[in-house]
Amino acid sequence: MSTHVPVGPVEATEVPRYAGLGTFARLPQIGQVPDYDIAILGVPFDTGTSFRPGARFGPSAVREASRLLRPGYHVELDVTPVREMQVVDAGDVACTPYNIGKAVSQIQSQVRPLLDAAKRVIAIGGDHTIALPMLRAVSEVHGPVALLHFDAHLDTWDTYFEEPITHGTMFRRAFEEGLLLEDKSMHVGIRGPVYDQDDFLRDHEFGFQIIRATDIDSIGVESAIERVRQRLGDTPVYLSVDIDVLDPAFAPGTGTPEMGGLHSRELLRLLRGLDGINIVGADVVEVAPAYDHADVTSLAAATVVFDMMSLMTKSMSAQIASNTALSQVVQ
């Protein structure tokens, strides 16, 4: 954990939220502080998308929408993330838009130095392809992780037009590379048509469990949270949120919208039900602002990032407290 007093966001009572630099939630840039605990990183890459492009503009749109946030205190999670941890905006990854394989390597190489056992990264995409280099970097530090994946789509298909790495295939690649704990990973919010009914059989073979959007209609949000918590246990978790897990009414600005999705309140309740889970890395992806209206999709993504950094803060603080108590017992 960073040992200095955290530098928080620009005070809205001194500089109006619509003014000043557009970092995430107006937090300090990574070069403005001596150390940090959680880095917010933009990954403006969308060459892996299969339908509507434009998620390369997601990081800037989400940052702009995040001006509305008041990150000093999370009411539902009862945590003050920007006072307990040093959270920074690490800028954007620089990667080629012309070569998926090269871009994935570039993303991984720029994420990895930001991570260690005590540091976390939340990536703002970009399309969902970016989850693969994020998982590669996270796994270098923590080993294989449980994947908790909120999405309308499975993203475990094999190839698109013979391309092995795209925004719909990256979790199959992650499984094949041994990055995932197959008895712990799961999808939430899956719905819509698929290419073939065997897609679910293949997905099951990769060790995933699924809570479909229609399952939540039947079992309710609280039961879904309990299933997720039982599945994850105390393992290190990578949390990946495709904003199209929300119904297009709540997130129109995305590349592959599907009817029948989660409501914003349902998604936030599901995320806040993860309190205490050991989240070691995360992403929010597929915000395509050209299709957005009144920034509703960007605001949803910004709020999800705020929830992620709040959840990370709580779990990191608990780990520090536990380690401190253990060291005192040993002494």
Side-chain angles (χ1 to χ4, degrees):
M1 178 181 176
S2 172
T3 56
H4 70 282
V5 176
V7 178
V10 176
E11 290 291 342
T13 55
E14 298 174 6
V15 180
R17 281 178 285 168
Y18 49 79
L21 291 177
T23 58
F24 184 84
R26 306 205 304 169
L27 287 161
Q29 295 173 301
I30 192 169
Q32 295 177 312
V33 296
D35 201 1
Y36 65 92
D37 302 296
I38 301 172
I40 313 298
L41 180 68
V43 189
F45 172 84
D46 67 358
T47 308
T49 193
S50 59
F51 195 58
R52 302 195 305 199
R56 65 182 63 184
F57 301 107
S60 59
V62 173
R63 285 190 177 102
E64 188 64 21
S66 75
R67 290 177 180 272
L68 188 64
L69 297 175
R70 301 170 184 84
Y73 178 63
H74 195 298
V75 178
E76 304 296 333
L77 291 170
D78 188 25
V79 64
T80 54
V82 298
R83 295 190 177 97
E84 297 180 42
M85 296 288 163
Q86 181 61 72
V87 189
V88 298
D89 190 315
D92 284 348
V93 167
C95 60
T96 177
Y98 298 114
N99 183 305
I100 294 177
K102 183 176 181 180
V104 165
S105 295
Q106 290 172 326
I107 295 166
Q108 180 183 352
S109 68
Q110 292 174 65
V111 170
R112 179 61 186 86
L114 298 174
L115 289 167
D116 63 29
K119 288 181 168 63
R120 307 286 186 263
V121 173
I122 302 171
I124 304 174
D127 75 49
H128 219 154
T129 309
I130 74 165
L132 179 59
M134 282 289 295
L135 279 165
R136 287 175 175 173
V138 167
S139 295
E140 286 185 46
V141 177
H142 298 280
V145 294
L147 171 66
L148 178 57
H149 173 217
F150 288 84
D151 203 322
H153 312 97
L154 297 170
D155 292 348
T156 52
W157 288 280
D158 191 9
T159 64
Y160 283 145
F161 295 91
E162 301 181 355
E163 284 295 329
I165 300 177
T166 72
H167 77 157
T169 65
M170 69 288 170
F171 291 139
R172 180 183 287 216
R173 302 288 89 80
F175 173 80
E176 293 168 347
E177 293 177 18
L179 307 179
L180 307 181
L181 294 170
E182 62 178 280
D183 61 339
K184 295 291 185 180
S185 298
M186 68 189 310
H187 310 289
V188 180
I190 303 300
R191 64 187 188 279
V194 295
Y195 292 105
D196 189 278
Q197 62 185 7
D198 286 345
D199 290 343
F200 289 99
L201 176 61
R202 301 283 85 76
D203 190 80
H204 180 71
E205 291 174 351
F206 304 143
F208 285 97
Q209 286 188 0
I210 300 173
I211 298 177
R212 295 175 57 84
T214 50
D215 292 334
I216 295 175
D217 293 337
S218 302
I219 68 174
V221 172
E222 296 306 316
S223 292
I225 291 170
E226 184 59 28
R227 287 191 189 182
V228 169
R229 295 185 68 90
Q230 289 179 356
R231 179 75 167 167
L232 299 179
D234 58 359
T235 57
V237 174
Y238 184 86
L239 174 59
S240 185
V241 177
D242 186 328
I243 206 65
D244 73 21
V245 73
L246 293 173
D247 189 86
F250 302 93
T254 191
T256 317
E258 303 281 2
M259 294 298 293
L262 302 185
H263 294 202
S264 302
R265 190 167 59 216
E266 289 174 328
L267 175 59
L268 294 179
R269 180 66 192 98
L270 285 161
L271 290 172
R272 293 163 187 174
L274 303 177
D275 191 356
I277 296 296
N278 182 22
I279 301 171
V280 296
D283 65 59
V284 181
V285 297
E286 299 288 352
V287 174
Y291 312 105
D292 207 1
H293 170 70
D295 299 332
V296 294
T297 311
S298 298
L299 179 58
T303 306
V304 168
V305 174
F306 177 42
D307 276 26
M308 287 175 166
M309 63 190 242
S310 298
L311 289 165
M312 286 180 174
T313 295
K314 292 199 75 172
S315 65
M316 293 165 75
S317 295
Q319 289 174 5
I320 292 166
S322 177
N323 292 340
T324 301
L326 181 61
S327 65
Q328 291 173 346
V329 170
V330 172
Q331 291 173 2

